[in-house]
Amino acid sequence: MDPEALRKYSALHPKPAGLALQYGTAGFRTKAQQLDHVVFRMGLLAVLRSKAVAATIGVMVTASHNPEEDNGIKLVDPLGEMLHPSWEEYATQLANAEEQELQKVITEICQKAAVNLHKDGLVFIGRDTRPSSEKLSQSVIDGILVLGGQYHDYGLVTTPQLHYMVCCQNTQGQYGKATLEGYYEKLSKAFMELIKQSHSSGECQRHLKIDCANGIGALKLSEMKPYFPQEVVIHIYNDGTKEKLNHLCGADFVKVHQKPPGGLDMKPNERCCSFDGDADRIVYYYKDATGHFHLIDGDKIATLISIFLKELLAKVRQDFKMAVVQTAYANGNSTRYLEETLRVPVHCVKTGVKHLHHKAQEFDVGVYFEANGHGTVLFSKAAETKIRQLVKEEKDDEKREAAKVLENMIDLINQTVGDAISDMLVIEAILALKGLTVQQWDALYTDLPNRLLKVQVADRRVIDTTDAERRVVTPPGLQEKIDALVKKYKLSRAFVRPSGTEDVVRIYAEADTQENADALAHEVSLAVYHLAGGKGTPPQP
């Protein structure tokens, strides 16, 4: 490490006085103008991580579904997964260190994590379409070069594409080619193979309207269009040429407001979907003949995929363990349908993709989705090897054909992280193969009416939870109060949890009617306000 170079470059990326940030599930996120020192230092950290694990590390500059003025940065570990939790601590320490402590903090990280600075370090960089992203990724490069690291800058990519590249690189190409062409070819080839077997192929074109949140998804989908079969016609809306990123559009807007995005003209019974700003989330929706809006969220996507995979697994007759992983936000009726009708085990974990991903790794086939539309399917190495072997060697036609469909699903799914493009193709293939309309898919079960609220508090840390965030431990008396309120309504449940990013407490309630769900959510928010140090005026109904 060259202390002089570190001092010189660090002075070019000064830390604003008094600013402290925390590396959370989504990495660092804040106003773009406050991030320059952070991204420079994450360039440093990425090189240290790369040298520590002797593998390529990814750095993605994005703030996903946040407003355009914000930006953020997150690191990607060798197999395309989230950064290891012990390194999240190092990221926070490094980002918040005062200028004169920087070298000391780096030395401490090297000692704790046994980093050999003489080893090579390689970092892959990607960024979204925000106006601030290009300059910030230049600052990342400054950090990488100071510690003698090498880099490859992919420029504009979706977040899941960068995760994919990192995984391809570190599996020596076993997962695929670490190029955009490689990504498009692998996914489109698997998709074509699946679509070929659908009964409707050739007869009619399948139209899909896609709201790309005025983000990177539009650019990458346009690049991928030539790879699609003629039967599939995609119509891209909110492509970023006119409006601001995530403004009144995108998966998060549609899910939270339960209404269609601006800039997309919906006719009755047309299939539509929305990506979020960095294309790692997707939700579907349609309007019925009466003009009523229907949202198909992550829970229903997980259910569709589970039905399809369960049928195939039954046909290959192997003893594979399959499960669905959800969070407390999953609609109660989705959990009931999966457990009681489909008879698939369901596990509930804390909110945050890393918790879902980690749990899903325990099964041969682990389906995980958050209600917000972020999710994927993981296949164990053993299951994948067995399925590929059946395709080659199985004499029984039915078993071999089912294994072939599973093999194409494995190739179509981005197993590193939730990926809106990949998930969209998986859904489109399943709907085609099963001959399902969007309405039939929606009718699998009816969501219980629900309401999400948030209450501002002086300090979100006063709330402590247990049982995958479904029960409150502190402050005392709050859980008893929630229990008493829930008893007043039919088919009801409610839980509260501190936000991971701001001083608010998030409230979720569901009940037999929308009126009751709203009333329960409001009563719980009042309880939180009074017992957990609410700020400002009490919540209004």
Side-chain angles (χ1 to χ4, degrees), residues 318 320 363-364 379-389:
Q318 299 295 315
F320 291 141
F363 309 99
D364 290 311
F379 293 86
S380 69
K381 263 283 148 272
E384 185 174 330
T385 307
K386 184 70 195 166
I387 288 163
R388 293 195 193 277
Q389 186 195 339

Side-chain angles (χ1 to χ4, degrees), residues 285-336:
Y285 44 91
Y286 68 97
K287 260 185 187 159
D288 62 26
T290 65
H292 184 68
F293 175 79
H294 294 255
L295 174 72
I296 300 178
D297 65 3
D299 300 336
K300 231 166 223 179
I301 293 172
T303 305
L304 178 73
I305 294 172
S306 302
I307 289 171
F308 186 70
L309 293 177
K310 191 176 179 207
E311 286 172 1
L312 290 169
L313 293 172
K315 285 180 185 164
V316 295
R317 302 201 284 284
Q318 299 295 315
D319 194 19
F320 291 141
K321 282 195 170 52
M322 176 178 164
V324 176
V325 187
Q326 297 183 324
T327 71
Y329 285 111
N331 195 278
N333 278 354
S334 75
T335 314
R336 265 184 213 104

Side-chain angles (χ1 to χ4, degrees), residues 184 187-196 201-202 204-206 224-234 425 428-429:
Y184 298 143
L187 267 64
S188 59
K189 181 171 170 282
F191 181 63
M192 302 267 257
E193 286 294 319
L194 287 164
I195 285 282
K196 244 180 13 203
S201 78
C204 63
Q205 290 190 315
R206 301 181 60 81
M224 197 174 179
K225 252 184 169 174
Y227 294 86
F228 287 156
Q230 291 91 333
E231 297 96 324
V232 177
V233 187
I234 60 168
L425 294 173
E428 289 301 307

Side-chain angles (χ1 to χ4, degrees), residues 61-279:
V61 177
T62 181
S64 188
H65 55 275
N66 281 35
E68 194 174 85
E69 311 63 81
D70 292 0
N71 217 322
I73 185 165
K74 59 179 176 183
L75 272 64
V76 179
D77 254 359
L79 292 178
E81 69 276 66
M82 306 270 171
L83 182 64
H84 191 277
S86 60
W87 281 73
E88 290 184 3
E89 294 283 310
Y90 302 152
T92 301
Q93 287 163 11
L94 197 57
N96 294 329
E98 294 308 327
E99 218 111 331
Q100 61 277 12
E101 298 173 333
L102 210 48
Q103 194 179 339
K104 183 169 135 274
V105 173
I106 291 172
T107 307
E108 279 171 12
I109 293 171
C110 289
Q111 284 164 349
K112 279 190 207 152
V115 180
N116 178 354
L117 282 173
H118 302 295
K119 283 236 168 90
D120 288 339
L122 176 61
V123 181
F124 281 0
I125 308 166
R127 66 174 192 270
D128 72 10
T129 54
R130 290 162 198 273
S132 57
S133 291
E134 189 169 5
K135 187 172 173 296
L136 289 173
S137 64
Q138 280 304 313
S139 303
V140 174
I141 292 170
D142 281 356
I144 293 168
L145 295 177
V146 168
L147 288 184
Q150 308 268 304
Y151 70 90
H152 180 84
D153 184 3
Y154 281 92
L156 292 163
V157 286
T158 70
T159 296
Q161 284 175 336
L162 185 78
H163 284 256
Y164 177 92
M165 304 300 172
V166 171
C167 184
C168 291
Q169 176 74 11
N170 289 315
T171 55
Q172 284 69 52
Q174 266 183 294
Y175 193 65
K177 281 210 276 298
T179 62
L180 276 172
E181 291 71 36
Y183 172 92
Y184 298 143
E185 279 165 9
K186 180 181 171 182
L187 267 64
S188 59
K189 181 171 170 282
F191 181 63
M192 302 267 257
E193 286 294 319
L194 287 164
I195 285 282
K196 244 180 13 203
Q197 299 162 359
S198 87
H199 310 301
S200 61
S201 78
E203 288 166 35
C204 63
Q205 290 190 315
R206 301 181 60 81
H207 289 264
L208 177 66
K209 290 185 168 181
I210 307 166
D211 153 35
C212 289
N214 291 309
I216 184 71
L219 289 181
K220 300 296 128 179
L221 261 186
S222 302
E223 285 175 10
M224 197 174 179
K225 252 184 169 174
Y227 294 86
F228 287 156
Q230 291 91 333
E231 297 96 324
V232 177
V233 187
I234 60 168
H235 306 273
I236 298 173
Y237 295 83
N238 297 322
D239 63 358
T241 53
K242 301 184 198 67
E243 294 289 337
K244 276 171 75 164
L245 176 71
N246 295 324
H247 182 60
L248 303 179
C249 61
D252 199 58
F253 172 84
V254 173
K255 169 75 181 153
V256 171
H257 296 279
Q258 308 260 333
K259 65 180 189 189
L264 186 150
D265 158 46
M266 279 173 78
K267 300 198 170 52
N269 298 326
E270 282 184 331
R271 248 189 356 278
C272 305
C273 67
S274 284
F275 292 3
D276 72 333
D278 64 341

Side-chain angles (χ1 to χ4, degrees), residues 79-82 160 163-164 167 175 357 368 376 378 413-418:
L79 292 178
E81 69 276 66
M82 306 270 171
H163 284 256
Y164 177 92
C167 184
Y175 193 65
H357 194 91
Y368 76 80
T376 188
L378 305 183
I413 291 162
N414 184 345
Q415 293 186 57
T416 63
V417 71

Side-chain angles (χ1 to χ4, degrees), residues 328-329 453 455 463-466 468-475 478-479 482 493-499 504-509 520-521 523-525 527-529 532:
Y329 285 111
L453 294 176
V455 176
I463 300 247
D464 193 22
T465 63
T466 184
E469 301 178 311
R470 291 176 288 190
R471 312 273 306 162
V472 176
V473 185
T474 61
L478 181 54
Q479 187 58 53
I482 294 171
R493 68 183 180 104
F495 68 89
V496 307
R497 54 178 285 275
S499 159
V504 300
V505 175
R506 300 191 186 281
I507 290 149
Y508 177 88
L520 177 58
E523 289 173 333
V524 171
S525 70
V528 168
Y529 179 85

